[in-house]
Amino acid sequence: MSKKPKLAVWKFASCDGCQLSLLDCEDELLALAGEVEIANFLEASSAVVKGPYDLSLVEGSITTPHDEERIHKVRRVSKYLVTIGACATAGGIQALRNFKSVKEFTSIVYASPEYIETLNKSTAIADHVFVDFELRGCPINKYQLLEVISAFLSHRKPNVSQYSVCMECKRRGTVCVMVAQGIPCLGPVTQAGCGAICPAYNRGCYGCYGPAETPNTTSLSNWWKNLGVKEADLLRSYRTYNAYAEAFRKESESHDSQLT
């Protein structure tokens, strides 16, 4: 009888939301548990089975010297390594510190900053080790996660869409909030995955899933300016969950330079 493939879930700097997305699978998780051995998942169980692991899911960004060492250890014991969520794929909301001085932050927040050991930047897992696939979202879509797990265990390419949120709006029959109501929306440059929840409730997309494939952020920013959006607001819009994703980072920096 062949052994079940081993699945491991690892946490770095994050809020645990993406791990909870896996737990939220409920019935699907039970089916998954029948197909794999969940060997390391501290969010769900204190029981740990030693590696190597067939598939590792990694949540969170690298923010400390200790985590910088630990991710290399995770990579060495993992046949496939998949990063899940905005923190792991783009540095997360904590990557906002990358635009300022970390020493200044620690001196303001902590009474004894000399005890704080941290890196100057919060960075994606792929900045440190080879990553087989990046699953975006804040949090991730649980159905996309199940697809990715199934794909790697079946030795095939994951079927995860790379197009923008606009496609999801069209599929659910949602009228464009930017064209019809003049509401600023990041949908045209944001990867699909959420089901276009915000536009469906007459709100602009906040970019939770990070940049779509080949996003034209400059063109979108010009549209926003025509709607009366100021440079400072454009800057803040690109600096949220995926602030350090390359396309959003470069666009935000272009507006930052206009303000300084």
Side-chain angles (χ1 to χ4, degrees):
M1 183 177 179
S2 60
K3 292 183 178 179
K4 293 180 181 179
K6 289 182 180 179
L7 172 68
V9 184
W10 309 89
K11 171 184 166 59
F12 288 80
S14 62
C15 71
D16 289 28
C18 292
Q19 292 183 78
L20 291 174
S21 292
L22 177 55
L23 292 175
D24 284 344
C25 291
E26 299 177 343
D27 292 343
E28 294 90 346
L29 182 59
L30 292 175
L32 175 65
E35 299 297 324
V36 303
E37 179 182 7
I38 301 178
N40 189 335
F41 188 7
L42 296 181
E43 186 82 12
S45 172
S46 59
V48 175
V49 178
K50 291 185 178 180
Y53 305 101
D54 294 277
L55 175 63
S56 279
L57 304 176
V58 180
E59 177 196 67
S61 64
I62 303 301
T63 61
T64 67
H66 171 70
D67 282 349
E68 194 172 23
E69 294 178 6
R70 190 162 68 97
I71 190 58
H72 286 278
K73 294 179 181 178
V74 171
R75 177 69 268 188
R76 286 195 293 269
V77 297
S78 306
K79 181 178 180 181
Y80 297 116
L81 189 152
V82 173
T83 52
I84 58 174
C87 295
T89 60
I93 197 76
Q94 58 269 31
L96 289 173
R97 78 194 210 184
N98 300 358
F99 301 99
K100 299 293 182 180
S101 168
V102 171
K103 288 185 178 180
E104 182 181 356
F105 287 149
T106 55
S107 66
I108 294 172
V109 174
Y110 298 98
S112 301
E114 64 271 17
Y115 294 113
I116 304 301
E117 188 177 20
T118 187
L119 300 172
N120 288 327
K121 292 183 178 181
S122 170
T123 48
I125 302 298
D127 290 343
H128 301 269
V129 297
F130 175 76
V131 170
D132 293 284
F133 190 81
E134 292 183 320
L135 182 62
R136 297 178 182 172
C138 187
I140 54 173
N141 181 311
K142 68 178 184 180
Y143 299 110
Q144 286 187 343
L145 176 60
L146 290 170
E147 160 60 21
V148 169
I149 294 174
S150 175
F152 275 96
L153 295 179
S154 303
H155 307 289
R156 62 176 175 81
K157 182 180 178 181
N159 183 20
V160 176
S161 302
Q162 303 294 312
Y163 49 71
S164 73
V165 172
C166 293
M167 184 67 73
E168 292 185 314
C169 278
K170 291 182 181 298
R171 285 181 170 176
R172 66 183 298 166
T174 300
V175 176
C176 179
V177 296
M178 192 159 60
V179 173
Q181 302 181 54
I183 298 173
C185 179
L186 286 174
V189 298
T190 299
Q191 183 173 301
C194 63
I197 296 174
C198 291
Y201 288 91
N202 293 315
R203 302 185 70 174
C205 170
Y206 290 93
C208 301
Y209 278 68
E213 191 174 34
T214 62
N216 191 341
T217 55
T218 301
S219 177
L220 180 65
S221 294
N222 288 333
W223 266 93
W224 280 35
K225 288 178 182 178
N226 291 333
L227 295 175
V229 178
K230 298 179 180 178
E231 291 286 347
D233 294 324
L234 272 165
L235 171 66
R236 283 191 289 269
S237 295
Y238 285 105
R239 289 188 181 176
T240 55
Y241 319 100
N242 292 276
Y244 222 61
E246 185 177 7
F248 285 5
R249 174 181 59 80
K250 288 183 176 180
E251 185 62 27
S252 74
E253 288 174 341
S254 70
H255 298 291
D256 198 7
S257 64
Q258 296 294 322
L259 294 171
T260 56

